[in-house]
Amino acid sequence: MGPASIDPGVRIGHVHLKVADIDRALTFYCGVLGFQLMQRRGPQAAFISAGGYHHHIGLNTWESRGGNPPPPGALRSIIWPCSIQAAPHSPTRCGV
């Protein structure tokens, strides 16, 4: 496990997320949380994992490319490790 890797013991079902921008999403999920990019399909989709699985999370822009962020106060969900030591970087320091 490298300095920017999520613990391979992390358990996540199988999720697909609609995102507005693949590069920005990868900056957060790979650069901040430490997931590994397994496959990318241009600006439309990317598949990331922990521990080398084919993918735990699918990111796509098929119906959301360039979308607006939710309004202030809207319900949002975020995947965050159980302990702060598991996250190699703070999202606030990374500008995400």
Side-chain angles (χ1 to χ4, degrees):
M1 193 166 82
S5 296
I6 195 164
D7 188 309
V10 167
R11 293 178 184 250
I12 297 174
H14 191 100
V15 231
H16 283 247
L17 304 174
K18 293 180 180 181
V19 299
D21 182 286
I22 290 292
D23 290 323
R24 187 164 183 229
L26 288 173
T27 296
F28 178 70
Y29 286 99
C30 295
V32 176
L33 296 184
F35 285 92
Q36 303 155 327
L37 176 63
M38 302 306 289
Q39 184 179 36
R40 182 168 177 161
R41 296 188 179 169
Q44 296 181 357
F47 303 93
I48 60 177
S49 83
Y53 181 66
H54 72 94
H55 75 275
H56 290 102
I57 302 175
L59 307 165
N60 73 67
T61 60
W62 298 325
E63 296 178 8
S64 54
R65 188 173 185 180
N68 294 320
L75 178 63
R76 296 183 191 197
S77 64
I78 185 169
I79 299 169
W80 194 254
C82 294
S83 77
I84 198 66
Q85 289 82 15
H89 308 290
S90 163
T92 55
R93 284 187 279 153
C94 297
V96 177

